[in-house]
Amino acid sequence: MRILICTALLMVNYISYAQRTVSGTVLDENNEGIPGASIVIKDLDLGTITNTNGYFELSVPERQKTLIVSAVGYLTQRVVVGSKSKIIIRMSIEVKELEALTIFGDEYINFSTKANELTPTTYANISKEKIEERNLGLDLPILLNFTPSMVTTSDAGAGIGYTGMRIRGSDATRINVTLNGIPINDSESHGVYWVNMPDLSSSLDEVQIQRGVGTSSNGAAAFGATVNLKSSSFSKEAFAELNQTIGSFNTLKTNVKFNTGIINNNFNFEGRLSRITSDGYIDRAKSDLYSYFFTGGYYGEKTTIKALIFGGQEEGYQAWYGTPEARLTGNETKLQAVIDNSGEYNTSEQIDNLLNSDRRFNYYLYENEIDHYEQDHNQIHLNHAFNNDLNLAVSGHYTHGEGYYEQFRTNDNLTDYKLDNIIVGNDTITQTDLIRRRWLDNDFYGFTYALNYNKDNLLMTLGGGYNTYKGKHFGEIIWSEFASTSNIRERYYKGSSTKNDFNVFLKTNYQLSSKLNLFGDLQIRTIGYDTEGTDNDLSNYQVEEKYTFFNPKFGLTYRLNTNFQLYGSFAMAHREPVRADFIDAPIGDIPSPEQLQNFEFGFKGDLDNIHVESNLYLMDYTNQLILTGAVNDVGSSIRVNTPDSYRAGIEMVLALDLADRWNWNLNVAMSRNKIKKFTEVVFDYAFSDDRYTVENEFTDADIAFSPNIVIGNDITFSNQGFSAQLLTKFVGDQFLDNTSNRNRMIESYFINDIRLSYQLQMLKIQNIELTFLINNVLNVAYESNGYTWGYLYDGSPYQQNNYYPQSGINFLSGISMKF
């Protein structure tokens, strides 16, 4: 790895390039300069934008003769520069086919969420084409796996079903996700459950990942990163598309798409239906996923109205438990220790399952141990241009989600379900086998807005949003061996929640000169969270909390020359505790909100056929909520605030055209992630139910699930419709908790995938693409996630690590036909 990194850096410093500087001015029909126009070198992802006077300078390779020039509200032009060094480009307004106006509206909506060349933050754009390369049914986190500082995992081990991502070590509850500027994170848990939106990647135009606090303004706080999703946009041409995938573990994906193109110069409609099924790598970890996506819009001369409805249903066999480390190593002594000490193997069937399984072990045996959930999203977006300088974007949304997970339980106490013990003659029955369902039924609705002003050297947005979440949590018994006094579907616990989230922000880009741009963002966010009821452990809770957060962001970008740019920024974010932090906290304890101060310093630039980025970051946390091993009075794990912790690192990106047909993309992230003082809490269960607390002190401890090095690598060869790609991922060691104990660790792994594709045309089919994907081609046995727990008994320790094994070599093949 070190040789690879050094080679990349040497190439950046020593390769010379044949190039020339082209300068010019982009003018409108009144011969006035157009600020913010995009100038891109054809076939290369390199370019620049015009300053406030419409002027630009760009280093163009000698062999490149064509520039693509685009600006909001104008027809895109291709300009052949030949040997010219200075040019003038006059743009024509796009009147009838108003895709540009749509982009105009989208861009201003996304100014509250999306970064661009003038934004002093660290980000990566993933295009529709890049997403489609491996879009054979894999969930979106897996498709984003090779982006900088990204670590992904799959419960079922094959990239379909429950999947997750971490960016810079931050989990999904700390990553802000929006779709078209609308919040996606669950309001109570802050998590994003991609399985509830199957095949969403097939309806995306672009994904932008911002690392750090970024420019997020709507939805959950970005405490590690922001993922901005942009759905399919206006299409001038009508098309129909069929995609079919078949692969390992009986994986099947089918989707059909259509787009009407322009209807009567003003209307456009698009739709998609998808189904994905897979048995999963882990035993019985099946997924059966349905989804739909429909959008339609009116595109007028100054106004656009666009509506989206999308959603789906997921049903998956549970693989949440993880595999004990002893099962992975096959150590018979340690397997017996798991049986004797974990308290989780109480039947002969469970013991036989553990002893006779392998890496694909699944703890669950009940045939219907499933998770079943439906989620439907509705969005409407209105954009209106009052004039060339002033634009208003307003969006409304409503999401309904409803579902449960079902579990078979053996020998549970009747009193755990508010049931009376059963007296039969002289016998008292206190335990029963039963089947239970735990439900979530919720609604999320609200609006966002952005009033945008863009004139001369100032771009300003006054925006915000108001969102309301209403959720119900309850549990039902649907079967019991001994029913006691229960009725079918009787709710043995229930609770309700309401959360109101309001924010207002003022965001500006001010261009002091052709080289220097200032960025500022002042946001006020208020949150009211009320929840009460009985939790699934029958403990009562009542929470009434209100927060007001002030989140400032400042930064600047400085263009050194036509090729290179520097940026620096400071951003502050606050994050309220999640539902479990309140409910699991000991009575009388209220967790404090977290605070993050984020510093980003970077540089990026282009030289001929090379693009390079490098940035330093510091993420300094106050009151970060972490697991310490402490539990409350009913045994639930609790998170506590730790006063001082941080993440610091360097990230590097290199994109290189090695030759006409070869491309190399490399990203390297090296970091240090520390808690300055950490206290581990361990309980000694020496006598009956009495617990004795043992505290172990650690200083400068590593933050869990935060590898010190992450590398992504992509080498692609393309020639006349054929493409071959080698994708490589290296993830360093990760600790399962915050003790820096190497006996509680996910070992580093090095994975390689190969993608082959071929495009052709046949008969009346516009495009046929055949894709073959070989995942983990070297058949590496590795785990990407896990957890650890333990206790003392009369001073003797027991510690158990559970892991989520990922599949060895496996295959996916697909055909896409576009008509």
Side-chain angles (χ1 to χ4, degrees):
M1 288 300 103
R2 292 179 181 175
I3 296 174
L4 191 64
I5 296 169
C6 292
T7 302
L9 295 176
L10 286 172
M11 294 183 73
V12 171
N13 288 311
Y14 295 109
I15 295 178
S16 60
Y17 310 95
Q19 58 183 357
R20 67 190 188 283
T21 298
V22 174
S23 63
T25 305
V26 180
L27 303 174
D28 62 17
E29 293 183 332
N30 297 320
N31 287 324
E32 294 181 358
I34 300 175
S38 170
I39 297 92
V40 178
I41 302 171
K42 183 184 176 183
D43 299 328
L44 294 177
D45 189 20
L46 305 175
T48 186
I49 61 175
T50 58
N51 65 13
T52 55
N53 299 315
Y55 179 77
F56 72 92
E57 291 183 355
L58 180 64
S59 181
V60 180
E62 289 290 350
R63 58 187 171 86
Q64 296 291 337
K65 306 293 185 182
T66 304
L67 304 179
I68 308 298
V69 184
S70 60
V72 171
Y74 297 89
L75 290 168
T76 298
Q77 291 195 32
R78 297 190 175 206
V79 180
V80 178
V81 297
S83 59
K84 300 175 185 176
S85 59
K86 292 185 179 181
I87 57 176
I88 295 177
I89 304 167
R90 289 183 171 83
M91 305 290 283
S92 299
I93 295 176
E94 188 171 20
V95 178
K96 286 294 182 181
E97 296 180 358
L98 290 170
E99 181 179 11
L101 182 58
T102 310
I103 297 172
F104 177 68
D106 286 348
E107 288 300 321
Y108 279 110
I109 289 174
N110 288 333
F111 182 56
S112 63
T113 57
K114 186 179 176 182
N116 57 37
E117 288 291 327
L118 298 178
T119 311
T121 193
T122 306
Y123 66 92
N125 290 326
I126 301 93
S127 66
K128 180 183 183 72
E129 291 73 23
K130 202 69 177 174
I131 295 169
E132 288 178 345
E133 284 181 351
R134 299 191 306 133
N135 186 16
L136 299 176
L138 300 173
D139 284 358
L140 187 60
I142 308 302
L143 299 181
L144 302 177
N145 183 46
F146 297 94
T147 56
S149 289
M150 175 75 74
V151 178
T152 63
T153 188
S154 167
D155 282 8
I160 298 173
Y162 271 90
T163 59
M165 65 171 75
R166 294 180 184 269
I167 300 175
R168 290 184 178 176
S170 297
D171 66 18
T173 67
R174 299 168 187 270
I175 299 172
N176 171 265
V177 179
T178 61
L179 176 63
N180 303 322
I182 301 299
I184 296 296
N185 297 70
D186 177 76
S187 291
E188 288 196 291
S189 70
H190 294 193
V192 176
Y193 304 98
W194 302 100
V195 71
N196 297 336
M197 302 176 287
D199 204 26
L200 178 62
S201 51
S202 291
S203 297
L204 296 179
D205 258 4
E206 182 185 43
V207 176
Q208 183 180 86
I209 300 175
Q210 300 170 19
R211 305 189 291 280
V213 173
T215 62
S216 62
S217 295
N218 296 320
F223 248 58
T226 298
V227 177
N228 291 320
L229 310 176
K230 183 176 180 296
S231 66
S232 299
S233 60
F234 183 96
S235 175
K236 298 177 183 179
E237 303 297 331
F239 67 83
E241 189 174 326
L242 172 65
N243 298 281
Q244 180 68 58
T245 294
I246 185 170
S248 300
F249 318 118
N250 292 321
T251 297
L252 290 171
K253 169 191 169 180
T254 303
N255 81 17
V256 290
K257 299 170 63 177
F258 74 88
N259 193 296
T260 64
I262 301 170
I263 299 176
N264 296 331
N265 289 326
N266 293 111
F267 297 92
N268 178 248
F269 299 91
E270 181 175 325
R272 171 183 57 81
L273 294 172
S274 301
R275 186 183 183 193
I276 302 171
T277 59
S278 176
D279 289 346
Y281 169 68
I282 299 300
D283 288 339
R284 299 178 294 284
K286 296 180 179 180
S287 296
D288 193 357
L289 315 175
Y290 298 85
S291 70
Y292 64 90
F293 182 95
F294 295 99
T295 180
Y298 167 79
Y299 304 88
E301 190 169 339
K302 290 188 176 182
T303 303
T304 69
I305 302 174
K306 185 176 181 179
L308 299 87
I309 57 171
F310 67 95
Q313 173 184 293
E314 63 88 5
E315 185 169 286
Y317 195 95
Q318 295 174 28
W320 304 343
Y321 184 88
T323 302
E325 182 177 20
R327 180 59 277 165
L328 295 174
T329 61
N331 186 303
E332 293 184 3
T333 301
K334 292 184 177 180
L335 280 170
Q336 189 60 48
V338 169
I339 296 169
D340 294 339
N341 298 306
S342 69
E344 296 168 331
Y345 297 86
N346 303 312
T347 68
S348 58
E349 290 81 6
Q350 290 174 326
I351 293 172
D352 288 344
N353 182 39
L354 177 66
L355 295 178
N356 298 315
S357 189
D358 53 20
R359 288 181 57 82
R360 303 178 68 171
F361 167 81
N362 191 338
Y363 175 80
Y364 300 110
L365 296 171
Y366 168 52
E367 64 181 11
N368 207 43
E369 195 95 8
I370 62 167
D371 177 74
H372 178 98
Y373 198 78
E374 298 178 24
Q375 194 172 71
D376 302 292
H377 299 254
N378 305 269
Q379 296 183 5
I380 187 166
H381 303 276
L382 167 67
N383 305 308
H384 180 72
F386 297 101
N387 51 48
N388 290 334
D389 305 323
L390 191 64
N391 168 272
L392 175 65
V394 180
S395 300
H397 67 91
Y398 169 68
T399 299
H400 176 71
E402 183 177 358
Y404 60 87
Y405 64 93
E406 185 170 314
Q407 293 181 306
F408 176 76
R409 304 284 298 176
T410 60
N411 297 324
D412 272 7
N413 293 326
L414 289 166
T415 54
D416 290 342
Y417 299 89
K418 293 184 178 180
L419 300 178
D420 296 332
N421 293 332
I422 302 171
I423 299 176
V424 180
N426 295 324
D427 297 325
T428 300
I429 298 173
T430 63
Q431 296 180 322
T432 184
D433 293 351
L434 57 82
I435 299 172
R436 69 188 185 191
R437 287 179 176 175
R438 292 182 171 176
W439 281 83
L440 174 61
D441 184 349
N442 55 26
D443 297 281
F444 180 58
Y445 53 88
F447 68 90
T448 64
Y449 67 93
L451 181 64
N452 312 284
Y453 177 78
N454 182 15
K455 189 173 183 180
D456 298 329
N457 56 353
L458 177 66
L459 172 58
M460 179 179 293
T461 293
L462 174 65
Y466 185 84
N467 302 296
T468 295
Y469 169 90
K470 293 183 180 295
K472 298 177 183 178
H473 302 262
F474 57 92
E476 298 176 340
I477 302 172
I478 65 171
W479 175 85
S480 179
E481 181 182 9
F482 301 106
S484 182
T485 56
S486 70
N487 296 311
I488 188 170
R489 301 194 185 281
E490 181 176 340
R491 297 183 180 182
Y492 66 94
Y493 75 89
K494 58 183 177 180
S496 60
S497 305
T498 300
K499 187 173 185 178
N500 296 308
D501 189 336
F502 167 81
N503 82 85
V504 61
F505 63 87
L506 181 65
K507 189 169 297 192
T508 61
N509 263 320
Y510 183 74
Q511 196 158 1
L512 285 174
S513 68
S514 60
K515 292 188 175 183
L516 182 63
N517 183 82
L518 300 181
F519 171 83
D521 176 12
L522 302 176
Q523 183 208 46
I524 295 176
R525 182 176 179 227
T526 65
I527 299 161
Y529 181 52
D530 299 310
T531 182
E532 64 178 345
T534 304
D535 198 22
N536 54 43
D537 57 16
L538 302 190
S539 61
N540 296 320
Y541 60 88
Q542 183 172 3
V543 179
E544 295 180 4
E545 291 296 321
K546 297 185 185 301
Y547 302 96
T548 299
F549 298 138
F550 176 58
N551 299 315
K553 305 170 188 176
F554 303 100
L556 58 85
T557 57
Y558 182 77
R559 184 167 291 279
L560 295 171
N561 52 42
T562 57
N563 302 105
F564 294 100
Q565 174 181 294
L566 299 174
Y567 66 88
S569 65
F570 165 80
M572 181 179 290
H574 293 81
R575 178 176 181 265
E576 73 278 16
V578 303
R579 179 179 186 270
D581 294 324
F582 291 113
I583 292 178
D584 293 336
I587 297 174
D589 288 356
I590 300 176
S592 299
E594 303 169 292
Q595 183 187 93
L596 168 61
Q597 298 184 70
N598 179 208
F599 299 86
E600 300 278 336
F601 303 96
F603 116 100
K604 52 189 173 183
D606 304 290
L607 279 175
D608 192 20
N609 58 347
I610 189 171
H611 174 79
V612 62
E613 299 177 16
S614 182
N615 65 280
L616 300 168
Y617 67 87
L618 171 64
M619 300 169 66
D620 189 28
Y621 298 92
T622 301
N623 286 332
Q624 185 176 187
L625 284 160
I626 62 171
L627 288 169
T628 65
V631 298
N632 61 14
D633 55 352
V634 294
S636 296
S637 297
I638 61 174
R639 299 199 306 175
V640 299
N641 295 108
T642 185
D644 202 350
S645 55
Y646 70 89
R647 302 180 187 275
I650 180 172
E651 296 165 322
M652 296 170 286
V653 175
L654 172 71
L656 179 64
D657 289 335
L658 297 173
D660 288 343
R661 299 183 180 91
W662 290 89
N663 300 97
W664 179 30
N665 294 282
L666 172 71
N667 60 77
V668 180
M670 294 178 287
S671 62
R672 181 177 174 86
N673 311 278
K674 295 290 184 178
I675 301 173
K676 292 189 177 180
K677 184 178 180 180
F678 171 70
T679 302
E680 180 192 26
V681 178
V682 184
F683 290 98
D684 193 327
Y685 298 86
F687 301 99
S688 186
D689 293 329
D690 296 331
R691 297 181 303 192
Y692 295 87
T693 301
V694 178
E695 295 187 350
N696 301 314
E697 299 288 341
F698 298 87
T699 58
D700 206 30
D702 293 275
I703 301 177
F705 302 104
S706 302
N708 291 334
I709 183 167
V710 178
I711 300 174
N713 183 62
D714 170 358
I715 299 175
T716 304
F717 170 80
S718 302
N719 184 32
Q720 296 182 352
F722 172 76
S723 177
Q725 186 178 33
L726 172 66
L727 296 152
T728 300
K729 189 74 176 187
F730 175 82
V731 177
D733 294 339
Q734 306 173 62
F735 293 104
L736 293 173
D737 63 13
N738 302 303
T739 64
S740 300
N741 188 334
R742 297 192 67 83
N743 292 320
R744 309 174 193 174
M745 190 177 72
I746 303 172
E747 293 186 355
S748 63
Y749 53 89
F750 180 70
I751 305 301
N752 293 272
D753 300 342
I754 293 177
R755 182 187 67 89
L756 305 173
S757 71
Y758 183 67
Q759 295 187 27
L760 68 156
Q761 293 181 338
M762 184 182 299
L763 302 176
K764 294 184 178 181
I765 302 176
Q766 179 181 340
N767 185 71
I768 299 175
E769 182 169 9
L770 305 173
T771 303
F772 187 59
L773 185 62
I774 311 172
N775 297 305
N776 194 3
V777 67
L778 299 181
N779 201 31
V780 175
Y782 74 105
E783 300 80 42
S784 59
N785 197 12
Y787 59 93
T788 187
W789 60 275
Y791 60 86
L792 296 171
Y793 188 84
D794 198 16
S796 298
Y798 176 74
Q799 194 74 29
Q800 181 174 316
N801 300 330
N802 281 43
Y803 295 97
Y804 294 87
Q806 303 300 288
S807 171
I809 186 170
N810 63 94
F811 309 91
L812 289 170
S813 59
I815 181 170
S816 174
M817 294 182 288
K818 190 171 184 178
F819 303 88

